[in-house]
Amino acid sequence: MPPPITRTWAPQAELVALAWALAVAAGVWAALSTDPPGRVLLAAVALFLVAAGLYGTLVRPRLAADQHGLTVRGVGGTRAWPWAEVNVRLVRTRRLGRETTAIEIDADNAEVPDLVVLGWLDLGADPRDVVDSLLELRT
């Protein structure tokens, strides 16, 4: 029996590194600023970027799949489902004149039902390509 093929998707490492670099830059700029309102604003931006960098670092890989099922990692922990418990759909949404695509992982058949929506930032790849890979692994 061949070993299982595992595919993983995660936020792009370059974007996570950029969030950390910008957080450091905003923190230094806030520390050196002499304008009190500007210092508060820069500190808030630095905290937001630290949160974004920390999220991108902790949730790697965000989605993993093999022939047996898929696993989604989040800040609150990791959830895994066999293929029989999940439905995977590509969802297209039009907002503000722009169409976005996302993946809906609907674990409605699971013991604890759940719905996970993953977009390009979560996956580091086009959701259309990820859905194709997931459907290929599922068969």
Side-chain angles (χ1 to χ4, degrees):
M1 179 177 211
I5 298 170
T6 302
R7 296 285 320 264
T8 61
W9 295 272
Q12 289 183 348
E14 296 85 5
L15 289 177
V16 176
L18 180 63
W20 284 114
L22 290 174
V24 169
V28 169
W29 194 3
L32 298 176
S33 177
T34 57
D35 177 35
R39 179 178 279 180
V40 170
L41 181 61
L42 284 167
V45 168
L47 286 175
F48 171 78
L49 289 167
V50 164
L54 190 60
Y55 174 80
T57 302
L58 292 177
V59 299
R60 301 185 75 78
R62 182 75 166 112
L63 175 64
D66 60 20
Q67 289 90 353
H68 305 292
L70 47 86
T71 304
V72 177
R73 180 179 285 170
V75 176
T78 302
R79 293 166 287 180
W81 301 283
W83 284 115
E85 293 182 355
V86 286
N87 296 316
V88 177
R89 288 185 289 272
L90 185 67
V91 179
R92 290 183 176 89
T93 307
R94 189 164 187 84
R95 291 188 187 149
L96 300 174
R98 184 169 182 260
E99 185 174 292
T100 60
T101 56
I103 297 173
E104 264 188 16
I105 300 171
D106 184 6
D108 200 26
N109 300 329
E111 188 174 314
V112 178
D114 204 354
L115 175 68
V116 179
V117 179
L118 302 170
W120 176 83
L121 281 174
D122 290 308
L123 302 168
D126 187 349
R128 291 175 284 233
D129 297 335
V130 176
V131 165
D132 291 341
S133 295
L134 290 175
L135 295 177
E136 183 180 307
L137 284 170
R138 185 175 192 152
T139 58

